[in-house]
């Protein structure tokens, strides 16, 4: 597992004190032989409880020494108040190289060195002092090789803990080769900064390579990289460290064949030249991927975040600009081309020294960086964040504050994604080249942004969701320009301060609350020209129309389409009702039912807002035929359905027959109109016989509500009734 290395297994019962081999505490006497003999003896220690070797103890005092060769199964233990001091320059063994009899440069062996060792440790609360000041001026002199304080190559299960390292002639800790299981913890490392008087040069604190590496709880302030790793490094955890002067937490410059799975978390950096740095060039690069930085605080740092692939060509990029980035021609891609991808930054808080960019991502023209995520990154400084040759740089809930004379971002060949959980009122300003070149892609979610130079955008695409983009000059939608709008209840708008030339393609996506309505996509303060954009992808089920009739606005009108007319519309007459039903129409909100009394219309009576697919019309007159049609409503109203007609039937409830006084030998009978269709029946019997079964329908009484019958006294008793139907 990354960051959990296997620790050394060394025999703790075999302790060898260097004074037993003649070592003497002194500021003048050399103890190289005595200390080396102690190392040799400890390494030869026997096996105890499955561990061999032993501990070399350096007691309190100052012990001068030249180069030492480390061995497997040895713990070099520096007791409290013990100082292992390198021989000073002039006494430390070096090999001088001459040119015509004149000393030109030297080479020197490293102080504590070992190769292909297993189970090694340097520990204790004592110190190692490099006396490096006289060495540092040789940093850039011909081919001089200064000694590294601790140099371990290709070792496994190695631990450096608790000690204080200071003023190394060159690197303090250098772990290289195919190393594995390296732990550096609780170590203090000190050297003057590269800008101090006198400065230290190349005094890197901790340079590592290999796999499964842990650096934790260290306190570091030096004249070069506070931490760095090179190619062939993976599975590294750097955590809970405090960094002061130095060149930052670095990767590179040699990153071939690759660096991966590095986690840096819970660290602080104060006063360093760089905070987080990845550097390389096309003759020494490789794939750097899956790097994570989180919970890091930085104060008074020149470059809080700096990642670039032009280290040897350009040097320190404090004055980098889009024009310089645009002037770098693409080189041939090879196995040493720097490539950066899948790098995340979260919970970073930093202040940048005035005069320096707050961040730089400058990948190679031939190999753009991909997938950089900045989550809750807050940086305050003077100059902008530079994104050159970057695809997928996403800033989530970030707050980048620069001076009023700078823009938040400067872009070249970059895809910038700004995402906020809620609409951010702080203005993010953007700039780029002043002449056409590589266009940049912008994706804005809940962001308030302003673009100074239109050419920094060019063809895009531009994606707007709950955001605004103000353009400070003219804006031209070229034929290839793509604008993506997410439409919802919030403002999604491009605001042009001058002239707007229409064209290109606009794609529409749905947001929360999307629906029919008017959407203002672009506004302009100058003249409008060009042709309406092509409407590309869009949500189905709506009609869309661009509208430029309102001065200063380009609108997109979204309407629900007119639905089809309902089908299978039927009308059935029942008792005092006409029942109507129809098939549902997908997506509609309601129906309008219309009725008339003439075949083919007109249909003046309307029952509107019906939400079901059936209706019983009770406002009818019995026996009258009614003619109906129905329409569907969803944004617009459909055409009418096919006509259906019916007449209601009489009431089923029995009723009384009203008798009028007879006159002229006639008796008038009547009953309610809603019983139209009932039959009047009569029977006459002898009074003594009573009611019988010999009912006879009165002629012509079925479809009327009244009739007259002749009174014949010889008929006897007359019985009358209404029968349905």
């Amino acid at each position: 597992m990354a960051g959990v290395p296997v620790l050394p297994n060394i025999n703790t019962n075999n302790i060898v004190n260097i004074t037993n081999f003649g070592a003497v505490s002194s500021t003048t006497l050399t103890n190289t032989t005595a200390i080396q003999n102690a190392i040799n003896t400890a390494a030869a220690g026997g096996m105890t409880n499955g561990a061999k070797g032993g501990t070399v103890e350096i007691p309190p005092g100052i012990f001068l020494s030249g180069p030492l060769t480390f061995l497997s199964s040895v713990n070099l233990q520096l007791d409290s108040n013990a100082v292992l001091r390198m021989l000073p320059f002039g006494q430390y063994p070096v090999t001088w190289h001459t040119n015509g009899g004149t000393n030109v440069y030297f080479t020197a062996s490293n102080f504590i060195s070992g190769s292909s060792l297993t189970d090694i440790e340097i520990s204790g609360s004592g110190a190692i002092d490099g006396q490096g000041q006289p060495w540092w001026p040789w940093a850039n002199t011909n081919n001089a090789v200064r000694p590294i304080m601790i140099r371990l190559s290709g070792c496994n299960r190695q631990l450096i803990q608790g000690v204080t390292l200071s003023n190394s002639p060159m690197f303090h800790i250098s772990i290289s080769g195919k190393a594995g299981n390296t732990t550096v913890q609780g170590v203090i490392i000190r050297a003057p900064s590269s800008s101090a008087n006198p400065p230290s040069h190349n005094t890197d604190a901790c340079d590592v390579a290999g796999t499964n590496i842990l650096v934790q709880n260290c306190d570091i302030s030096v004249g070069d990289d506070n931490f760095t790793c090179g190619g062939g490094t993976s599975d590294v955890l750097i955590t809970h460290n405090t960094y002061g002067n130095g060149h930052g937490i670095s990767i590179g410059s040699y990153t071939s064949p690759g660096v991966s799975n590095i986690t840096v978390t819970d660290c602080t950096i104060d006063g360093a030249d760089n905070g987080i740095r990845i550097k390389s060039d096309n003759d020494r690069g490789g794939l750097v991927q899956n790097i994570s930085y989180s919970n890091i605080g930085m104060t008074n740092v020149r470059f809080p975040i700096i990642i670039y692939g032009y280290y040897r060509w350009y040097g320190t990029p404090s004055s980098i600009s889009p024009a310089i980035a645009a002037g770098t021609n693409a080189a041939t891609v090879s196995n040493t081309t720097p490539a950066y991808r899948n790098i995340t930054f979260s919970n970073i808080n930093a202040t940048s020294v005035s005069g320096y960019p707050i961040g730089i991502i400058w990948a190679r023209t031939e190999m753009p960086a991909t997938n950089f995520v900045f989550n809750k990154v807050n940086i305050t400084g003077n100059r902008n964040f530079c994104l050159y040759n970057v695809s997928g740089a996403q800033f989530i809930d970030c707050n980048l504050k620069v001076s009023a004379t700078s823009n938040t971002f400067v872009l070249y060949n970059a895809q910038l994604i700004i995402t906020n959980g809620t609409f951010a009122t702080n203005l993010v300003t953007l700039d780029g080249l002043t002449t056409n070149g590589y266009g940049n892609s912008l994706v804005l979610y809940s962001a308030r942004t302003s673009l100074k130079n239109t050419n920094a955008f060019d063809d895009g695409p531009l994606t707007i969701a709950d955001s605004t983009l103000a353009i400070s000059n003219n804006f031209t939608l070229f034929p290839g320009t793509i604008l993506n709008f997410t439409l919802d209840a919030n403002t999604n708008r491009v605001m042009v301060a001058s002239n707007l030339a229409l064209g290109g393609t606009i794609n529409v996506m749905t947001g929360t609350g999307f629906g029919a309505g008017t959407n203002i996509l672009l506004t302009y303060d100058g003249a409008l020209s060009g042709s309406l954009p092509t409407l590309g992808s869009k949500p189905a089920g709506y009609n869309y129309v661009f509208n430029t009739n309102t001065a200063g606005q380009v609108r997109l009108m979204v309407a629900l389409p007119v639905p089809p007319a309902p089908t299978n519309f039927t009308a059935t007459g029942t008792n005092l009702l006409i029942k109507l039903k129809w098939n549902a129409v997908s997506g509609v909100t309601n129906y309008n039912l219309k009725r008339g009394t003439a075949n083919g219309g007109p249909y003046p009576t309307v029952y509107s807002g019906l939400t079901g697919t059936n209706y019983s019309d009770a406002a009818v007159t019995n026996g009258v035929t009614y003619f109906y049609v129905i329409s569907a409503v969803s944004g617009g109203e459909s055409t009418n359905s096919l006509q259906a007609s019916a007449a209601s039937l009489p009431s089923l409830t029995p009723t009384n027959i009203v008798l009028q006084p007879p006159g002229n030998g006639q008796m008038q009978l009547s009953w309610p109109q809603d019983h139209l269709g009932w039959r009047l029946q009569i029977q006459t019997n002898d009074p003594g016989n009573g009611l019988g079964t010999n009912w006879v329908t009165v002629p012509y009484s079925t479809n009327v509500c009244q009739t007259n019958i002749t009174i014949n006294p010889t008929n006897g008793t007359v019985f009358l009734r209404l029968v349905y139907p």
Side-chain angles (χ1 to χ4, degrees):
M1 177 184 290
V4 187
V6 179
L7 295 174
N9 184 25
I10 301 171
N11 187 353
T12 58
N13 293 322
N14 180 26
I15 300 176
V16 178
N17 193 300
I18 63 171
T19 59
N20 295 333
F21 293 84
V24 178
S25 174
S26 169
T27 59
T28 58
L29 298 177
T30 302
N31 297 286
T32 308
T33 301
I35 297 173
Q36 187 63 60
N37 287 338
I39 292 173
N40 297 342
T41 301
M47 184 82 69
T48 302
N49 296 326
K52 61 182 180 179
T55 298
V56 175
E57 181 181 9
I58 300 179
I62 298 174
F63 297 90
L64 287 172
S65 178
L68 300 170
T69 301
F70 219 55
L71 297 175
S72 294
S73 303
V74 171
N75 173 18
L76 181 63
Q77 176 182 298
L78 294 108
D79 292 343
S80 178
N81 297 317
V83 178
L84 177 61
R85 179 170 288 167
M86 293 176 60
L87 288 170
F89 184 72
Q91 296 182 41
Y92 195 92
V94 300
T95 300
W96 283 97
H97 302 268
T98 62
N99 182 7
T102 303
N103 289 335
V104 178
Y105 67 96
F106 61 82
T107 56
S109 298
N110 298 315
F111 182 46
I112 299 174
S113 63
S115 178
S116 302
L117 306 179
T118 303
D119 295 325
I120 55 178
E121 181 176 343
I122 300 173
S123 63
S125 57
I128 302 177
D129 176 21
Q131 299 200 88
Q133 182 175 333
W135 299 87
W136 296 331
W138 293 88
N140 300 309
T141 303
N142 296 323
N143 297 311
V145 177
R146 294 166 289 152
I148 296 170
M149 182 175 284
I150 301 172
R151 171 68 166 167
L152 303 172
S153 176
C155 300
N156 186 33
R157 297 200 297 270
Q158 48 202 333
L159 169 64
I160 302 173
Q161 69 173 350
V163 296
T164 297
L165 312 178
S166 62
N167 298 320
S168 176
M170 199 174 171
F171 307 153
H172 288 81
I173 299 173
S174 175
I175 295 171
S176 64
K178 296 181 179 180
N181 296 297
T182 299
T183 302
V184 179
Q185 60 187 11
V187 175
I188 299 173
I189 305 177
R190 290 288 187 271
S193 73
S194 56
S195 59
N197 187 18
S200 71
H201 297 289
N202 304 115
T203 53
D204 294 15
C206 184
D207 296 1
V208 299
T211 61
N212 216 19
I213 298 164
L214 171 64
V215 181
Q216 66 177 354
N217 300 321
C218 295
D219 184 351
I220 294 170
S221 183
V222 293
D224 208 297
D225 290 328
N226 302 106
F227 168 90
T228 191
C229 66
T233 301
S234 64
D235 302 316
V236 178
L237 174 60
I238 302 169
T239 182
H240 291 98
N241 298 311
T242 299
Y243 298 104
N245 296 322
H247 293 177
I249 303 172
S250 301
I251 296 175
S253 63
Y254 289 95
T255 58
S256 178
V259 176
S260 63
N261 300 334
I262 311 292
T263 299
V264 181
T265 184
D266 297 300
C267 295
T268 61
I269 306 171
D270 182 20
D273 289 353
N274 311 291
I276 296 167
R277 179 169 72 158
I278 302 176
K279 62 187 186 228
S280 194
D281 215 312
N282 66 345
D283 61 344
R284 58 183 63 192
L287 176 59
V288 177
Q289 64 176 342
N290 303 334
I291 315 296
S292 173
Y293 303 92
S294 64
N295 303 330
I296 297 176
M298 294 182 256
T299 53
N300 300 316
V301 175
R302 290 183 178 180
F303 297 93
I305 298 172
I306 176 171
I307 299 173
Y308 65 125
Y310 293 91
Y311 174 62
R312 280 166 55 83
W313 174 74
Y314 193 80
T316 303
S318 57
S319 300
I320 185 64
S321 67
I324 294 173
T328 56
N329 295 324
T332 301
V333 175
S334 70
N335 59 2
T336 61
T337 299
Y340 307 125
R341 71 186 184 198
N342 303 336
I343 299 178
T344 64
F345 306 81
S346 60
N347 295 316
I348 309 290
N349 294 284
T351 60
S352 173
V353 173
S354 178
Y356 292 85
I358 61 174
I360 297 175
I361 311 295
W362 181 19
R364 302 284 304 188
T365 300
E366 66 273 16
M367 185 65 69
T370 58
N371 193 25
F372 277 59
V373 178
F374 300 82
N375 185 18
K376 293 182 173 61
V377 173
N378 306 305
I379 306 177
T380 300
N382 175 238
R383 290 175 50 200
N384 32 45
F385 202 116
C386 306
L387 294 174
Y388 306 143
N389 303 320
V390 184
S391 175
Q394 185 173 8
F395 289 77
I396 305 170
D397 292 324
C398 295
N399 190 2
L400 307 179
K401 297 180 181 179
V402 296
S403 68
T405 58
S406 294
N407 293 288
T408 313
F409 291 99
V410 287
L411 310 172
Y412 173 75
N413 190 27
Q415 181 191 35
L416 172 61
I417 305 167
I418 300 176
T419 303
N420 296 297
T422 57
F423 182 75
T425 57
N426 57 297
L427 179 64
V428 175
T429 57
L430 313 169
D431 197 10
L433 283 176
T434 57
T435 57
N436 285 326
Y438 277 102
N440 300 287
S441 172
L442 305 177
V443 181
L444 308 175
Y445 297 104
S446 300
R448 177 173 169 256
T449 58
S450 174
L451 178 63
K452 179 179 180 181
N453 191 320
T454 306
N455 293 315
F457 169 71
D458 202 25
D459 286 351
L462 167 67
T463 298
I464 295 278
D466 296 344
S467 301
T468 61
L469 173 64
I471 296 176
S472 61
N473 51 18
N474 301 324
F475 187 39
T476 298
L477 300 181
F478 298 104
T481 301
I482 297 175
L483 303 182
N484 302 315
F485 285 89
T486 295
L487 302 184
D488 53 22
N490 298 318
T491 299
N492 299 280
R493 195 166 300 169
V494 177
M495 301 173 292
V496 182
S498 190
N499 301 327
L500 172 63
L502 293 178
T505 299
I506 290 180
N507 298 312
V508 175
M509 295 163 285
T510 62
T512 303
F514 171 83
T518 299
N519 301 272
I520 302 173
L521 303 185
L522 299 105
T523 63
Y524 56 95
D525 294 336
L528 181 67
S529 62
S531 301
L532 289 175
T534 299
L535 187 61
S537 61
K538 56 190 180 298
Y542 294 86
N543 292 332
Y544 300 85
V545 176
F546 284 112
N547 185 314
T548 59
N549 294 332
T550 301
Q553 296 182 356
V554 177
R555 299 183 173 193
L556 180 64
M557 318 302 289
V558 179
L560 289 167
V562 175
T567 58
N568 291 335
F569 181 50
T570 60
T572 304
T574 62
N575 302 104
L576 303 181
L577 291 173
I578 297 178
K579 294 184 176 181
L580 304 122
K581 63 179 181 178
W582 57 92
N583 287 353
V585 179
S586 177
V588 304
T589 56
N590 57 78
Y591 301 90
N592 291 335
L593 180 64
K594 310 171 187 180
R595 145 189 118 167
T597 56
N599 188 5
Y603 311 100
T605 304
V606 176
Y607 298 91
S608 61
L610 301 177
T611 56
T613 57
N614 57 79
Y615 183 76
S616 294
D617 187 8
V620 294
T621 299
N622 185 25
V624 176
T625 299
Y626 293 92
F627 301 89
Y628 296 89
V629 292
I630 192 165
S631 62
V633 179
S634 177
E637 183 181 9
S638 73
T639 57
N640 292 332
S641 67
L642 295 177
Q643 177 183 277
S645 62
S648 64
L649 299 179
S651 172
L652 288 174
T653 304
T655 187
N656 295 322
I657 300 173
V658 179
L659 303 177
Q660 297 293 332
N664 300 321
Q666 298 285 320
M667 182 171 62
Q668 187 181 60
L669 307 172
S670 65
W671 51 93
Q673 197 275 340
D674 60 12
H675 282 60
L676 181 70
W678 286 56
R679 290 179 294 142
L680 179 66
Q681 291 185 328
I682 189 172
Q683 66 171 272
T684 57
N685 291 329
D686 184 274
N689 293 334
L691 185 65
T693 59
N694 56 332
W695 291 102
V696 178
T697 298
V698 176
Y700 310 112
S701 67
T702 302
N703 294 312
V704 296
C705 292
Q706 68 176 22
T707 188
N708 296 321
I709 60 174
T710 302
I711 299 174
N712 186 350
T714 64
N715 287 342
T717 304
V718 177
F719 298 91
L720 297 165
R721 71 177 183 181
L722 286 172
V723 179
Y724 177 84

